[in-house]
Amino acid sequence: MSESKASAGRRAAALRAEITRHNRLYYQQDAPELSDAEWDALLRELRELEERFPALVVPDSPTQRVGAPAAEGFDSVEHRVPMLSLDNAMNEDDMRAFDLRVRRILGDEDEVVAYAGEPKLDGASLELVYEKGTLVTGATRGDGRTGEDVTANLKHVWSIPFELAGDAAPSGRVSVRGEVMLPLAAFQRLNEARRERGDEPFANPRNAAAGSLRQLHQVDKQRLGALEFRAYAVEEGVPAGVRSQIEVLERLRAWGFAVSEESRRCDDVEAAIAYHAEVLVAREAMPVEVDGTVFKLDRLDLREEVGTLARAPRWAIAFKFPPQQAETVVVGIETSVGRTGALTPVAKLKPVFVGGVTVSNASLHNQDEIDRKDVRVKDSVVVQRAGDVIPQVVRVVREKRKNKSARKWRLPKKCPVCGHEAVRLEGEVVTRCPNIDCPAQLKTNVRHLAGRGALDVDGLGEKLVEQLVDAGHVKRLSDVFTLDAETLLRMERMGEKSAENLVAALERAKETTLPRFLISLGIRHVGGGVADVLAGAFGDLDPLLGASQERLEVVDGVGPILAESVVRFFGDERNRAEVERMRELGVRWPKEAPRKSGEGPLAGKAFVLTGTLPDWSRDEAREKIEAAGGRVTSAVSKKTDYVVAGEGAGSKLKKAEQLEIEVLDQATLEKLLSEEG
Ligand code: IVH
């Protein structure tokens, strides 16, 4: 064996392992480490090696298959027709070479062929199978042959029709393929919420879509509801008389699917190239992420002639957009204070053109992220726009760091807006300004106080709060209770009647309950359930104001993180002053009857919840158990009496079995709940 062949063999094996690892990160863990372009480059290198040394091709080489096998936890579904990938064109020459190959295979280089041009949607591909016009199965691509059955999750994706519409709905089996995407706006909201909770944000909308679709536990219906499906192919059951891709798309639309409205017939390859340039410009305004264009031979009969290889058809190609990354320099790092008090470091960049816009700011999210990437002022960095309107710093170009002794960057100790000491609670990634009167947060806090779950002040909406704060009528939270009709009347679009109504609503809101009052203060981690627990345990506000961390922690349902948050909040003089002022202004509540413990059918029993129950959310199950006198803790231990396990239960269930703790399902729990004490 020649030396070059031996080294090619070693390199091919290394590439196979590397690509397989990245496939797993991408498809199964929704956590890619490589950009698409980097992954493509690895695959291309492997393919070139295999072309030079065909003996190196092994059946499970990544060049011979797509994606990764179905992950555990979902049933697998066999795709009757494999779900293939597409070959990529990176430039116009690649496109012309593709077109020439197609025409050669068809036997006449001089005969032009038309292509259907479509945006390349950057989501997760999905196959939907309909029998007699009704959806029976939805499956992810998986490894192309076998995917995961995600039908149950699809019922929350409103853009997927459960019944095919139209008189001509086919009676036999139809398989429709398309892409599931999380629109950019929803993606940003989701990531913001994840960052707030301290969860790792999704790298891009595609991973967020795939992750949402493949949620096993605690299915988040809202997240699924935000997903959008667009169809682009009918694999089985193409209706008679449909002869081209453009007609396929029309039929899909008639059946009730969303299709890319930008799709268009291109008469030859030059028209296709022009179409690509148009979509590149138009993508900025599109609600979903598009990472290129796809061209498919428009005539379906010709596709069969051109044929398909193991991994991808020869009659179609993806023309990728250039990666939206660029290198620039960090000229400074500033701290912005968000509407929820989060201190966010923002990199000020030397302006750079990336993905069609000039970027001069990039969010660095939080201290952990800065530490992980080790971003310092004057560093050269790679920035990227991955569906985030706010660009990201991907990495520091370490070789270019000139001043090796540049200092690590740290968030300021004080809120840059109000000067109050900033706080990072145990277990959180976000550093916050805890001052409820901080001007950066005041509007949010007033809105929160007026919200339904809090003091429920009818008529104190966002626009009005904006005006009141901007005009200086509300400078601190408690100022809300000083508003009179005269002041309100000076606001835009405020009539006498509305002003009177609002004053009356404020008066009504003052008479509240302790849990609602606690919620209205916006204390970190104090939501509905927790406020009830605190009110039940302390009965009134004053004992709670003086409670120590230790005292709080002995309350059932209060952990160290919540306890710290409450102690810090009430330990803060400004917050105490606000609370006092609100009481002086007439906010009041009846004393809570201390919660009777030790009563009810589940008195004294400790429960742990795990997995997803068929009908109850975790909170609902907790409420029911608590109402029956039981308590719910998070970890399984010898003190646990029952573990309630639903679908997807994992390590807690195992632990219960090890410790021989009784395991209940929803039905047996229901029985226990209804039993007489
Ligand atoms: S056609 C055999 N059309 O890109 C043809 N795919 O890189 C396969 N994709 O697996 C699909 N937009 O998930 C097609 N308009 C489009 C597409 C599209 C995005 C995805 C699809 C496919 C991947 C291949």
Side-chain angles (χ1 to χ4, degrees):
M1 195 161 51
S2 75
E3 178 50 36
S4 74
K5 184 164 178 205
S7 68
R10 277 196 299 276
R11 179 70 188 144
L15 283 167
R16 279 198 300 268
E18 191 61 9
I19 294 168
T20 305
R21 185 174 80 83
H22 287 295
N23 281 354
R24 199 168 300 127
L25 285 169
Y26 179 114
Y27 288 107
Q28 289 186 348
Q29 293 160 26
D30 301 316
E33 286 173 5
L34 294 185
S35 70
D36 283 7
E38 289 166 316
W39 183 89
D40 282 344
L42 290 180
L43 191 71
R44 205 166 325 130
E45 187 187 345
L46 180 58
R47 199 174 307 140
E48 278 164 16
L49 276 177
E50 290 177 347
E51 268 164 28
R52 273 201 291 143
F53 303 102
L56 293 178
V57 180
V58 293
D60 69 345
S61 168
T63 57
Q64 305 301 304
R65 33 178 277 174
V66 258
E72 273 175 49
F74 288 99
D75 289 338
S76 32
V77 180
E78 198 96 13
H79 300 298
R80 286 208 200 167
V81 183
M83 289 181 79
L84 299 181
S85 189
L86 291 169
D87 280 336
N88 289 334
M90 305 312 283
N91 51 46
E92 298 181 5
D93 287 345
D94 289 353
M95 273 301 290
R96 295 191 182 100
F98 157 76
D99 172 62
L100 187 61
R101 194 165 60 238
V102 167
R103 285 183 290 127
R104 279 203 183 127
I105 299 172
L106 289 173
D108 186 354
E109 275 180 39
D110 299 325
E111 187 83 38
V112 298
V113 289
Y115 298 98
E118 300 168 16
K120 185 170 191 309
L121 307 169
D122 197 7
S125 48
L126 194 68
E127 174 169 66
L128 304 172
V129 177
Y130 293 80
E131 305 263 15
K132 299 201 184 82
T134 302
L135 179 70
V136 290
T137 319
T140 64
R141 178 163 70 172
D143 66 1
R145 293 193 177 79
T146 315
E148 298 146 320
D149 185 340
V150 291
T151 319
N153 281 353
L154 297 184
K155 64 173 186 263
H156 304 289
V157 183
W158 60 268
S159 53
I160 292 183
F162 265 58
E163 306 283 340
L164 297 181
D167 302 334
S171 53
R173 180 184 161 99
V174 177
S175 104
V176 171
R177 292 184 182 174
E179 206 81 354
V180 171
M181 294 157 295
L182 191 64
L184 298 176
F187 166 71
Q188 276 145 27
R189 277 198 303 275
L190 173 64
N191 264 1
E192 252 164 55
R194 289 180 74 86
R195 284 192 191 104
E196 288 260 319
R197 280 200 307 266
D199 291 344
E200 189 78 14
F202 286 110
N204 52 48
R206 177 189 53 217
N207 296 118
S212 301
L213 201 58
R214 297 167 64 235
Q215 295 175 89
L216 259 184
H217 315 288
Q218 296 164 23
V219 173
D220 180 343
K221 299 186 185 94
Q222 241 177 338
R223 234 170 96 189
L224 286 166
L227 292 176
E228 248 172 60
F229 178 78
R230 281 199 207 170
Y232 47 63
V234 177
E235 205 54 61
E236 294 173 78
V238 178
V242 170
R243 297 203 169 78
S244 70
Q245 173 67 10
I246 295 297
E247 288 167 11
V248 166
L249 295 175
E250 276 163 16
R251 192 56 66 101
L252 284 166
R253 197 180 289 131
W255 283 341
F257 291 98
V259 300
S260 291
E261 295 302 326
E262 303 80 6
S263 306
R264 196 167 77 209
R265 192 181 125 104
C266 306
D267 288 329
D268 60 12
V269 71
E270 296 310 320
I273 289 169
Y275 173 82
H276 177 80
E278 272 176 46
V279 177
L280 179 56
V281 175
R283 98 200 273 204
E284 283 307 316
M286 294 186 191
V288 294
E289 182 86 328
V290 168
D291 62 341
T293 47
V294 177
F295 296 98
K296 306 169 184 173
L297 254 186
D298 191 34
R299 269 176 58 183
L300 304 186
D301 57 337
L302 295 184
R303 289 186 186 177
E304 282 176 38
E305 273 181 61
V306 175
T308 291
L309 300 178
R311 192 179 156 270
R314 278 195 299 201
W315 46 260
I317 194 146
F319 189 177
K320 300 288 279 267
F321 290 145
Q324 307 205 81
Q325 287 195 343
E327 200 180 302
T328 186
V329 175
V330 177
V331 293
I333 301 177
E334 291 177 1
T335 306
S336 83
V337 186
R339 292 175 58 107
T340 59
L343 267 56
T344 305
V346 179
K348 298 281 151 186
L349 306 168
K350 187 163 160 255
V352 60
F353 196 67
V354 46
V357 297
T358 302
V359 165
S360 46
N361 291 311
S363 172
L364 293 166
H365 305 305
N366 53 55
Q367 186 69 52
D368 285 357
E369 189 116 336
I370 292 201
D371 294 346
R372 191 158 52 232
K373 292 179 177 156
D374 190 17
V375 183
R376 305 181 192 190
V377 176
K378 297 211 175 110
D379 272 348
S380 287
V381 289
V382 174
V383 291
Q384 128 175 325
R385 292 183 64 233
D388 236 334
V389 164
I390 309 165
Q392 315 278 324
V393 171
V394 183
R395 63 187 168 86
V396 171
V397 187
R398 292 295 283 274
E399 315 81 85
K400 293 200 181 162
R401 184 175 287 164
K402 291 197 191 78
N403 178 4
K404 304 283 176 211
S405 57
R407 270 202 291 142
K408 289 206 176 214
W409 193 87
R410 299 214 58 82
L411 272 172
K413 295 213 162 41
K414 295 202 163 132
C415 169
V417 173
C418 71
H420 193 286
E421 193 194 337
V423 172
R424 180 173 172 182
L425 291 178
E426 177 81 37
E428 295 209 343
V429 290
V430 180
T431 305
R432 287 170 202 281
C433 167
N435 173 13
I436 39 174
D437 296 331
C438 173
Q441 313 165 51
L442 189 56
K443 290 173 185 171
T444 314
N445 292 347
V446 173
R447 286 281 296 142
H448 176 81
L449 172 130
R452 280 256 178 81
L455 299 188
D456 195 10
V457 187
D458 222 11
L460 194 53
E462 192 168 334
K463 288 265 150 56
L464 183 59
V465 172
E466 292 262 328
Q467 291 182 57
L468 288 167
V469 173
D470 291 343
H473 297 306
V474 175
K475 291 202 191 72
R476 49 196 285 204
L477 198 56
S478 53
D479 282 347
V480 167
F481 295 105
T482 66
L483 293 171
D484 52 25
E486 200 186 324
T487 313
L488 290 170
L489 266 173
R490 272 183 265 141
M491 300 294 107
E492 272 168 46
R493 274 184 308 237
M494 181 59 76
E496 238 162 81
K497 189 81 200 142
S498 328
E500 275 168 27
N501 285 345
L502 181 50
V503 172
L506 281 166
E507 231 14 82
R508 274 197 309 278
K510 287 181 188 171
E511 186 151 354
T512 185
T513 64
L514 180 55
R516 278 176 177 273
F517 180 68
L518 291 175
I519 293 169
S520 78
L521 298 176
I523 307 168
R524 195 80 192 130
H525 302 303
V526 179
V530 169
D532 282 337
V533 168
L534 293 175
F538 291 88
D540 204 350
L541 185 64
D542 292 309
L544 180 60
L545 289 180
S548 66
Q549 169 109 11
E550 294 71 34
R551 168 69 189 90
L552 277 156
E553 279 187 42
V554 296
V555 176
D556 263 346
V558 176
I561 292 175
L562 171 62
E564 186 195 349
S565 172
V566 171
V567 169
R568 273 197 181 268
F569 185 89
F570 289 123
D572 192 313
E573 254 167 58
R574 299 192 214 201
N575 294 343
R576 288 283 275 263
E578 279 302 275
V579 167
E580 282 321 316
R581 184 150 179 263
M582 283 193 233
R583 282 208 273 203
E584 278 160 22
L585 290 167
V587 179
R588 60 198 177 273
W589 50 85
K591 272 206 178 61
E592 290 276 314
R595 174 92 24 90
K596 290 181 223 143
S597 58
E599 280 178 25
L602 305 184
K605 298 288 183 213
F607 288 73
V608 171
L609 301 171
T610 176
T612 312
L613 297 178
D615 305 313
W616 300 336
S617 73
R618 228 168 242 237
D619 282 342
E620 280 167 342
R622 171 195 294 274
E623 275 169 23
K624 286 178 203 285
I625 291 169
E626 286 175 351
R631 64 199 159 84
V632 177
T633 60
S634 57
V636 179
S637 74
K638 275 185 258 165
K639 289 190 208 149
T640 309
D641 294 293
Y642 301 100
V643 169
V644 183
E647 203 185 302
S651 60
K652 289 182 187 171
L653 181 55
K654 275 211 192 96
K655 183 97 187 266
E657 281 158 7
Q658 276 166 16
L659 296 175
E660 297 182 354
I661 292 166
E662 189 169 344
V663 177
L664 309 175
D665 60 6
Q666 183 183 310
T668 40
L669 172 61
E670 257 172 283
K671 257 218 208 110
L672 274 189
L673 286 168
S674 60
E675 270 167 23
E676 283 304 312

